[in-house]
Amino acid sequence: MGDRWSVEVDRSVCIGSGMCVNHAPDGFRLDSARQSHPVEPETDANERVLAAAEGCPVEAITVALADSGEVVFPPED
């Protein structure tokens, strides 16, 4: 069985660019205020969700391993 990821969007940072929806339309939605949120807070590890996090212009998306909390993205400085 593959890794499970916990996906969070910091709505205080999100600017509603929609890049996450563009990269992972099954993983993210914009609400009526154009704020992003994950469709499911926990998902199977997949390249689309990672691409969405990497493509966010303000790094509002955090992806972590669901079982350990180890951060997958963004990388630690």
Side-chain angles (χ1 to χ4, degrees):
M1 182 176 240
D3 288 333
R4 296 279 296 166
W5 285 346
S6 171
V7 182
E8 295 181 8
V9 176
D10 185 339
R11 294 169 60 92
S12 69
V13 175
C14 177
I15 61 171
S17 73
M19 294 301 294
C20 55
V21 176
N22 196 27
H23 285 289
D26 294 336
F28 295 90
R29 296 281 185 262
L30 295 181
D31 63 19
S32 60
R34 292 203 48 86
Q35 292 288 293
S36 177
H37 57 94
V39 171
E40 296 291 334
E42 192 173 299
T43 185
D44 289 331
N46 71 75
E47 291 300 314
R48 288 183 178 171
V49 169
L50 185 57
E54 292 172 342
C56 178
V58 293
E59 290 190 353
I61 302 170
T62 301
V63 178
L65 294 175
D67 60 351
S68 69
E70 179 183 347
V71 175
V72 174
F73 188 87
E76 293 186 26
D77 293 330

